Amino acid sequence: MDKHSAVRRGEWLEIPLHRAKSESLEECLLKNYFIPQKLIDKLKQNNGVRTKAESVLLRLFPYESDDYITEWAELDVLFEDDFCLVVNKPAGMAVHPAQAGRTGTLANIVASYYQTTGQSCKIRHIHRLDEHTTGAVLYAKNELAQIQLDEQMRMKLIHRQYVAFAEGLVQPNKGRIDAPIGRDRHHPNRRRVSSTGDTAVTHYEVIETFNDASLLNLRLETGRTHQIRVHLSHLLHPLIGDAVYGGKTKRLSRQALHGEVLSFSHPFFGDALDVHAPWPNDLLNLLAELRLSIL
């Protein structure tokens, strides 16, 4: 069954149905479109299901509102359709407010973007980046997309690839860091490698070296707070600019870490998506500076 034949009609998604006589609507939607029973039940309770002769309409795009204060700023949109949004987060910005009513976060800007483009979506971020880490952040634009993308996260099917500049020459050139991470009881805002911490696995590969630094590709197998920063510090190769974990700030005043590629399956159509986030200027400048230093 071709999922791409589904058509949005305002708040509704019209889906073709080709089901056996003995097959219920719910069984057909689950088997062919992976729409869970709980969501169908919820839609039915709110008059969100309409059936036709050979199709069904689901009210997947209802009017929604959020409590986030809208705050306009330029937003670097990397991918968008009716189900999901991927944006390139700048440095120095939290993904969401720590307290209700706060501004200055990516959530406030995404809320403004939805409003100014005539979209009534709640803010549903699927994963986070540290305040001073740049790169791709994924949002679900409706409840079905959130259910499917959250499940992909749980099953480790959303892959996040980072680039980072580390202090020193990292050896070996490729490796797997398997070291559990827990809270640092001496520093409430820090994490540390701890035998009693949560499982944390990072894969890395050196892609370029300089006089006293290395450029790395990294892939997360788990998603612990500050995972890359803690793991590289544990290897005695902290990120350039990461003063919290031992990096020097002479060349850069924030951790040199960027979420470059986000790979996931579309939450409705199932297509494989690889979304690339361009490097920010400060990392491009750092790369140029490091290359000049070895001439």
Side-chain angles (χ1 to χ4, degrees):
M1 187 173 292
D2 183 11
K3 295 182 181 181
H4 292 275
S5 59
V7 178
R8 179 173 179 177
R9 304 190 186 282
E11 293 186 340
W12 301 80
L13 185 69
E14 184 170 3
I15 301 173
L17 285 181
H18 303 285
R19 52 174 166 156
K21 289 183 179 180
S22 61
E23 190 175 51
S24 70
L25 172 65
E26 290 84 353
E27 289 170 336
C28 180
L29 290 173
L30 179 61
K31 181 179 73 174
N32 296 306
Y33 298 100
F34 306 106
I35 300 176
Q37 178 74 51
K38 287 180 66 175
L39 180 57
I40 297 296
D41 291 342
K42 182 176 179 180
L43 290 171
K44 282 184 172 180
Q45 290 170 8
N46 293 283
N47 299 314
V49 179
R50 297 176 182 173
T51 55
K52 292 184 176 181
E54 294 189 0
S55 66
V56 62
L57 286 95
L58 304 178
R59 192 166 175 259
L60 293 179
F61 312 104
Y63 175 84
E64 298 178 316
S65 61
D66 245 330
D67 295 330
Y68 289 102
I69 298 171
T70 58
E71 185 176 11
W72 188 89
E74 290 289 343
L75 188 66
D76 186 6
V77 176
L78 304 174
F79 175 86
E80 182 178 17
D81 69 359
D82 289 328
F83 292 87
C84 46
L85 171 73
V86 184
V87 302
N88 195 6
K89 188 185 87 64
M93 181 180 291
V95 169
H96 63 92
Q99 298 174 338
R102 297 290 293 272
T103 59
T105 73
L106 191 61
N108 301 112
I109 296 170
V110 171
S112 177
Y113 173 77
Y114 285 156
Q115 184 182 78
T116 56
T117 54
Q119 303 183 71
S120 58
C121 307
K122 284 186 176 181
I123 305 298
R124 299 177 172 94
H125 64 267
I126 301 302
H127 67 106
R128 306 175 188 180
L129 293 177
D130 290 346
E131 179 178 344
H132 296 290
T133 299
T134 55
V137 177
L138 173 61
Y139 291 85
K141 294 174 70 174
N142 56 57
E143 192 170 357
L144 173 61
Q146 182 175 19
I147 291 169
Q148 302 292 19
L149 292 172
D150 281 345
E151 178 65 8
Q152 288 186 44
M153 281 293 290
R154 189 183 73 81
M155 298 296 293
K156 300 180 182 178
L157 298 175
I158 295 180
H159 302 293
R160 292 160 287 169
Q161 181 177 310
Y162 294 77
V163 289
F165 291 88
E167 302 277 5
L169 303 181
V170 178
Q171 291 291 337
N173 287 338
K174 181 186 292 188
R176 179 178 184 268
I177 309 168
D178 186 350
I181 292 176
R183 291 185 176 274
D184 188 332
R185 57 192 176 91
H186 301 293
H187 302 278
N189 296 322
R190 285 180 41 159
R191 300 294 188 273
R192 65 185 181 91
V193 168
S194 167
S195 60
T196 60
D198 296 319
T199 300
V201 178
T202 304
H203 300 263
Y204 77 87
E205 182 176 4
V206 177
I207 54 177
E208 192 169 348
T209 57
F210 314 97
N211 287 341
D212 58 354
S214 302
L215 174 59
L216 310 176
N217 266 336
L218 303 112
R219 180 175 59 83
L220 295 180
E221 192 172 307
T222 56
R224 307 303 176 196
T225 300
H226 298 178
Q227 179 172 314
I228 289 173
R229 300 167 65 189
V230 173
H231 273 171
L232 289 179
S233 179
H234 179 64
L235 293 186
L236 304 181
H237 294 288
L239 294 175
I240 290 176
D242 192 0
V244 173
Y245 291 103
K248 299 174 184 177
T249 58
K250 181 179 178 181
R251 291 188 173 115
L252 197 68
S253 59
R254 59 108 175 171
Q255 67 254 21
L257 181 62
H258 176 67
E260 185 178 37
V261 183
L262 188 65
S263 302
F264 59 100
S265 295
H266 190 278
F268 180 75
F269 300 115
D271 301 334
L273 297 172
D274 294 307
V275 182
H276 293 251
W279 286 29
N281 288 333
D282 61 351
L283 293 191
L284 291 173
N285 293 337
L286 176 61
L287 177 62
E289 177 187 336
L290 290 170
R291 283 173 172 170
L292 281 174
S293 70
I294 60 177
L295 294 179

